Amino acid sequence: MNIHEKYIRRCIELAQNGLGTTYPNPMVGSVIVYEDQIIGEGWHKKAGEPHAEVNAVRSVKDKSLLKKATIYVSLEPCSHFGKTPPCCDLIIANEIPNVVVGTVDPNEKVAGKGILKLIEAGANVTVGVLDEECNELNKRFFTFHQKKRPYIILKWAESQDGFLAPEKEIDQERKPIWITNQYSRQLVHKWRTEEQAILVGTQTVVDDNPKLNARDWDGNNPTRIVIDQNNRIDENSFIFDDTVKTIVFSKTSKPSKEKTQFEVIDFEKNIISQILDVLYQNQIQSVIIEGGRQTLQSFIDENLWDEARIFIGKTSFEKGTKAPIISRKNTTKTDILSDELIQIRNYD
């Protein structure tokens, strides 16, 4: 293995520790190497806290070695003042002579400026090591900055015969009907801690009264996004409990609460693009679309999605709400006990 690839791969491993906690910042890992030995390493843990390079430098016991070392970082070091000082200045101040960068930062505040600053200060800079892997690591961050929208994950569970839900009975209690096993459901809650937001349509809330939180996994709850054109959702529903930040899209406004805001959009125009614009303005880099069928199909029909995660359970319904129609190319399959998980990437 190429020596630079070896240490950038370690940077990626470290960076992944920050999944779900660094928003709106990217996940970044850094390793400091002297004579083919790691003498320091770190990763970015949370926005406002030290960046990966800072944690790596701090972890080096013998700081005199920095003047003869190489610092590896999965994403271009920042060159601007945000909540923390520029990492470029730290590298220059410590006179680290060699800098190896996985990929260039797409954020217009950085976008090559960090690399240029290091070169002008006399550092030997190498760029583009495992850049595809580094871009994949921060697929949410890159999508947000390059496409001006969140990274979009479609998620649903369908029965063996292709239904999202059985035919609804009159006076049926408002609660979910489970298609998958408890391990699949726990995995979904883990996913919720990794993304910034979760979105559902009106009918899902009317039928199931979901909490849309991550109660089965330790981590942050996502921002709840709900489409409710005519304000049909009962005010006693869990999504109005004001325990988690919630954005409701409707035709007419209602008084906002501390954590619940109402956004008025024009339902005669493209709904999806309006929603994505508001999420972008709210600095939301990723969203899981969890239902219902009409909402999911709308994103598919607009080709505004990046991943689909589909569980297929052992249950059969024979009739009810059909699952969305989606192209199943670029697919991987995993068994979770009795369930099958199909994951699809949209490269179009």
Side-chain angles (χ1 to χ4, degrees):
M1 183 190 292
N2 178 296
I3 192 80
H4 288 342
E5 290 184 0
K6 171 184 173 182
Y7 291 118
I8 288 294
R9 209 170 289 284
R10 176 59 181 160
C11 290
I12 293 170
E13 287 178 357
L14 291 164
Q16 287 169 335
N17 290 316
L19 181 56
T21 64
T22 65
Y23 297 117
N25 292 350
M27 294 178 281
V28 184
S30 182
V31 171
I32 300 173
V33 176
Y34 173 69
E35 293 187 343
D36 204 19
Q37 294 290 317
I38 293 176
I39 59 171
E41 59 182 28
W43 71 90
H44 183 43
K45 298 176 182 178
K46 189 177 180 181
E49 293 187 7
H51 288 189
E53 301 93 319
V54 176
N55 289 327
V57 168
R58 285 178 179 174
S59 74
V60 175
K61 290 188 172 69
D62 183 354
K63 298 291 193 290
S64 69
L65 295 178
L66 290 171
K67 294 182 181 180
K68 298 175 275 188
T70 300
I71 184 166
Y72 291 84
V73 59
S74 55
L75 187 69
E76 175 183 4
C78 62
S79 55
H80 66 287
F81 280 89
K83 291 183 178 178
T84 59
C87 291
C88 280
D89 292 0
L90 175 76
I91 294 169
I92 293 165
N94 281 280
E95 299 179 40
I96 303 173
N98 303 302
V99 184
V100 180
V101 176
T103 192
V104 177
D105 192 327
N107 186 344
E108 59 186 20
K109 292 179 180 177
V110 187
K113 299 185 184 80
I115 291 165
L116 183 61
K117 191 172 186 179
L118 290 166
I119 292 170
E120 288 176 343
N124 175 30
V125 182
T126 302
V127 183
V129 178
L130 296 181
D131 55 342
E132 285 188 16
E133 289 88 338
C134 291
N135 292 348
E136 174 67 17
L137 168 71
N138 279 304
K139 57 193 177 185
R140 300 159 181 84
F141 184 77
F142 274 70
T143 298
F144 181 80
H145 285 284
Q146 292 173 339
K147 298 186 177 180
K148 311 299 182 190
R149 64 163 175 83
Y151 188 86
I152 299 167
I153 300 168
L154 310 178
K155 177 257 145 186
W156 72 82
E158 62 182 65
S159 63
Q160 199 74 40
D161 51 354
F163 291 94
L164 291 182
E167 196 167 62
K168 190 171 173 60
E169 297 175 11
I170 298 170
D171 298 327
Q172 186 173 310
E173 186 182 352
R174 291 179 71 206
K175 65 177 184 179
I177 294 167
W178 299 115
I179 294 172
T180 54
N181 64 50
Q182 68 185 83
Y183 300 103
S184 296
R185 297 200 292 272
Q186 188 178 43
L187 177 59
V188 169
H189 284 236
K190 177 179 183 290
W191 289 342
R192 289 178 180 179
T193 68
E194 295 170 356
E195 311 308 331
Q196 267 192 288
I198 180 171
L199 183 150
V200 295
T202 311
Q203 205 58 47
T204 297
V205 182
V206 169
D207 291 345
D208 298 346
N209 192 22
K211 295 180 180 177
L212 302 181
N213 59 17
R215 58 198 175 276
D216 290 341
W217 196 266
D218 185 36
N220 296 326
N221 286 315
T223 296
R224 301 181 293 201
I225 316 291
V226 182
I227 304 169
D228 187 17
Q229 178 176 352
N230 297 308
N231 295 320
R232 286 202 296 123
I233 298 171
D234 190 299
E235 291 191 1
N236 294 315
S237 300
F238 287 124
I239 60 123
F240 290 130
D241 61 15
D242 216 34
T243 58
V244 180
K245 183 179 177 182
T246 303
I247 301 173
V248 182
F249 288 94
S250 60
K251 194 163 59 175
T252 54
S253 187
K254 290 175 70 176
S256 293
K257 300 179 184 178
E258 184 182 352
K259 293 183 179 178
T260 305
Q261 70 186 66
F262 286 84
E263 293 281 347
V264 176
I265 60 173
D266 186 347
F267 282 82
E268 299 300 316
K269 296 181 180 176
N270 189 307
I271 298 168
I272 303 299
S273 63
Q274 291 178 80
I275 289 171
L276 295 181
D277 284 346
V278 172
L279 299 190
Y280 179 76
Q281 290 159 17
N282 277 266
Q283 298 290 302
I284 291 174
Q285 289 184 12
S286 68
V287 59
I288 303 178
I289 314 297
E290 283 213 11
R293 186 194 191 280
Q294 183 180 341
T295 303
L296 287 159
Q297 195 66 56
S298 296
F299 279 87
I300 295 167
D301 292 346
E302 293 281 342
N303 198 32
L304 282 168
W305 62 282
D306 300 288
E307 284 183 45
R309 302 173 182 177
I310 306 163
F311 291 94
I312 300 176
K314 289 297 183 188
T315 316
S316 290
F317 293 145
E318 296 182 5
K319 55 183 178 178
T321 305
K322 290 289 286 183
I325 299 167
I326 190 169
S327 169
R328 301 200 177 191
K329 60 182 181 179
N330 303 320
T331 296
T332 58
K333 296 182 180 181
T334 311
D335 289 331
I336 303 174
L337 292 185
S338 58
D339 297 338
E340 181 179 53
L341 170 61
I342 296 174
Q343 295 180 275
I344 309 169
R345 289 295 290 268
N346 184 10
Y347 294 112
D348 294 340

